[in-house]
Amino acid sequence: MKKLFGLLLFVLPFVSVAAVHGVELEKAPINLKDKASLQRGALLFSNYCMACHSVKYMRYNRIARDLGWTDDEIVKKMAYGQAKPVDDVMTRMLPGVDMEVLGTHVPDLSLMARLKGPDYIYTFLKGFEYDEKTKTWDNKVLHGTVMPNILEGVQRYSTKEQFSQDVADITNFLAYVGEPIKVKRESLGWKVMLFLFIFFIITYLLKKEYWRDIKH
Ligand code: HEC
């Protein structure tokens, strides 16, 4: 038993890698500064993913603040008025239903972009393939996945470009959720650099002033 456990510990980390093995991940064309894309992604996420998934480390009002919505707007848009701005973004699925219907737990997606990377999510969402032989859907990066091809309708009724854009927007949103401070951190970085630069000039001029009458 102990041996088996040890073996599992050894093998498990490779399982997810094995699933990806051989499939080249498509680069996700995302941009965390593109608020319009993040807003579209949030709406798509609410419409197509929150029936099963949560992003429970986020609160509605935090997303609202970062994406440029008011508290009222976000609750209306993402939760159909059924949540408070301070609530965590939970799934609409009742507890236990996932086990009953899908036979597995639906993972929370708060940190999925950190765990597997935006490129993985992008390729995964575009990676559903219909197998004519078995008459079932499979996914090329996660073979045998329990998740249904949720975006099938979206894909069927829109152009290739539009579908790629939708998937990119959802991926962008999940990348933002994985590290909400990133946009702020980067803009703060620039401000610090600018401050240091101006400070450098002032220091330099001051040095010149001090040494002006000194022969050296
Ligand atoms: C019907 C319920 C359902 C819906 C709706 C749904 N998912 Fe999933 N999702 C699942 C389940 C179940 C899993 C676990 C899959 C597995 O382990 O095979 C999963 C897994 C995932 C994963 C992780 C894959 C991995 O490698 O572990 C991502 C990313 C994901 N879903 C994204 C989404 C996004 C984005 C949407 C909306 C466009 C969405 N899902 C809609 C049920 C759902």
Side-chain angles (χ1 to χ4, degrees), residues 83-98:
K84 291 192 285 302
V86 291
D87 285 347
D88 301 328
V89 180
M90 302 306 286
T91 166
R92 288 184 205 107
M93 191 183 256
L94 295 174
V97 174
D98 49 358

Side-chain angles (χ1 to χ4, degrees), residues 44-45 48-53 93 102 104-107 109 112 116 120-121 124-125 142 144-148 150-151 170 174:
L44 288 165
F45 184 78
Y48 293 102
C49 317
M50 275 169 65
C52 296
H53 290 283
M93 191 183 256
L102 300 164
T104 184
H105 283 298
V106 178
L109 296 184
M112 193 56 81
K116 301 213 165 179
Y120 176 90
I121 294 180
F124 171 67
L125 290 177
L142 193 66
T145 181
V146 188
M147 177 168 143
I150 285 303
L151 297 173
I170 297 172
L174 287 176

Side-chain angles (χ1 to χ4, degrees), residues 145-176:
T145 181
V146 188
M147 177 168 143
N149 183 12
I150 285 303
L151 297 173
E152 184 190 352
V154 180
Q155 183 167 23
R156 188 175 310 156
Y157 295 112
S158 57
T159 61
K160 224 170 156 224
E161 291 73 31
Q162 183 58 50
F163 180 63
S164 292
Q165 184 63 55
D166 288 346
V167 173
D169 291 340
I170 297 172
T171 308
N172 203 15
F173 176 70
L174 287 176
Y176 149 74

